[in-house]
Amino acid sequence: MEIGVHGLVWTGSFDESGMDRAIRSTREAGFDLLELPLFDPFGMDVGAAVASLGRSPLAVNASLGLPPHGDITSLDRAVVDEGERILGRCLEVLDALNRGEDRTPMLGGVIYSQLAKYPEPASPQSRSNAQDVLGRIADRAAGYGIGLSLEVVNRYETNQFNTGRDGLAFLREIGRDNVTVHLDTYHMHIEETDMWQPVLDVGPRLGYVHIGESHRGYLGTGTVDFGTLFAALERISYDGPIVFESFSSRVVHSELSRSLAIWRDLWTDGMDLARHASSFIRNSIHTARMAARH
Ligand code: MN
């Protein structure tokens, strides 16, 4: 099981110095995995990033939300094609960042629509446009040994699906084994009935988990029921990546911070936040394991 942290805890720009900082800090805070936001996969200096990673034992996954000009739910063919081009480039970048390591790199996030508040419900055509692209991207991903995870987010960030069960229905229609559901406690807290049922409903198709507080700050200082979430993960014997996600106006990524409405300064010291999260997650896993024996 890989325990990871989202790159935006460390820096808002992933140039050479940003990458160096993110890699060093991720290890220092006690994580095995860095989740890299790939909002500009064509602009990224992949060679420099691979050089920064060097011989570090750090695992790397990537995530993004599609931009308006690459929204694969669009009814405009050119926009859909651009989204497919972006996702294809993400696969190439992630494959390079994995440096041939013997693991399944994961590309996730809102890769099935724009990361935005839509003004209307999803149409059947928008849904099938996205599914067609994702079927082809999944096939290409399989060639690289990459897995895709579709992150279930709240109603203000997509109109395609907002619950684990609906995410599962969406990926079943895509019909590829390397596409999984990605649950995030921040979004579950808004949309789901509780922290137990969605995990059991998705079951073996759960491929990725984000751990975030209700306000996206320090774990345990909000209203998310983490005890139940970790008990549910233990119940289904989940062993995929678990990644801590937190955002503060202290560290800003020009696109993502706006899309996610990060206006508040919930923390200033990313290292203290991350060390706390690393031990919180590991302790929670340990607690759930012990409780399962009773
Ligand atoms: Mn998330």
Side-chain angles (χ1 to χ4, degrees):
M1 179 184 275
E2 295 169 333
I3 311 297
V5 61
H6 192 278
L8 220 64
V9 167
W10 308 119
T11 176
S13 63
F14 294 88
D15 53 9
E16 208 170 336
S17 72
M19 275 298 292
D20 277 343
R21 180 173 153 74
I23 291 162
R24 193 173 6 93
S25 305
T26 297
R27 292 293 297 169
E28 202 179 316
F31 291 97
D32 325 307
L33 163 74
L34 172 63
E35 182 180 315
L36 212 57
L38 268 193
F39 279 79
D40 184 15
F42 291 100
M44 183 168 177
D45 185 345
V46 180
V50 171
S52 292
L53 283 162
R55 292 178 192 278
S56 163
L58 199 62
V60 179
N61 288 335
S63 61
L64 73 156
L66 289 172
H69 60 275
D71 180 355
I72 60 174
T73 72
S74 174
L75 303 183
D76 180 338
R77 196 67 242 168
V79 173
V80 174
D81 289 347
E82 176 61 10
E84 185 163 355
R85 199 173 77 92
I86 291 169
L87 291 171
R89 177 62 186 160
C90 288
L91 295 177
E92 294 171 1
V93 171
L94 180 56
D95 180 56
L97 294 176
N98 192 54
R99 295 128 41 231
E101 282 191 22
D102 183 22
R103 55 182 288 275
T104 302
M106 297 292 291
L107 176 66
V110 186
I111 57 175
Y112 51 84
S113 85
Q114 188 188 344
L115 176 60
K117 182 175 184 297
Y118 281 78
E120 57 199 10
S123 67
Q125 186 64 52
S126 73
R127 182 180 177 96
S128 66
N129 283 358
Q131 289 170 329
D132 288 349
V133 170
L134 287 169
R136 290 191 293 274
I137 290 294
D139 292 340
R140 288 172 65 183
Y144 289 109
I146 290 175
L148 302 183
S149 62
L150 309 185
E151 181 168 6
V152 182
V153 297
N154 72 74
R155 65 191 69 190
Y156 306 110
E157 298 182 27
T158 187
N159 63 355
Q160 290 294 320
F161 50 82
N162 305 121
T163 65
R165 207 181 292 179
D166 288 346
L168 187 62
F170 186 94
L171 73 83
R172 279 190 172 142
E173 289 166 21
I174 299 171
R176 305 296 200 281
D177 289 343
N178 62 334
V179 186
T180 53
V181 172
H182 168 171
L183 290 176
D184 177 321
T185 55
Y186 166 80
H187 301 288
M188 292 169 75
H189 174 73
I190 297 171
E191 302 289 355
E192 304 280 7
T193 52
D194 56 38
M195 291 286 151
W196 177 265
Q197 199 56 49
V199 174
L200 266 72
D201 287 345
V202 175
R205 296 308 301 272
L206 183 62
Y208 213 86
V209 174
H210 270 169
I211 299 296
E213 248 309 352
S214 51
H215 47 43
R216 292 190 178 277
Y218 271 76
L219 298 180
T221 67
T223 51
V224 168
D225 176 8
F226 287 111
T228 301
L229 184 274
F230 281 99
L233 294 178
E234 172 66 24
R235 175 61 69 92
I236 67 162
S237 303
Y238 176 77
D239 67 353
I242 296 183
V243 175
F244 172 56
E245 211 175 31
S246 181
F247 305 98
S248 171
S249 57
R250 175 55 66 105
V251 177
V252 173
H253 179 286
S254 53
E255 276 176 63
L256 188 56
S257 297
R258 289 193 180 118
S259 303
L260 300 181
I262 308 304
W263 317 132
R264 277 203 287 157
D265 192 354
L266 281 152
W267 44 265
T268 52
D269 182 346
M271 182 56 76
D272 186 64
L273 170 94
R275 281 187 202 277
H276 174 266
S278 171
S279 58
F280 185 101
I281 291 170
R282 291 179 197 280
N283 280 337
S284 298
I285 292 168
H286 191 64
T287 302
R289 268 184 203 149
M290 293 304 108
R293 292 181 177 186
H294 297 176

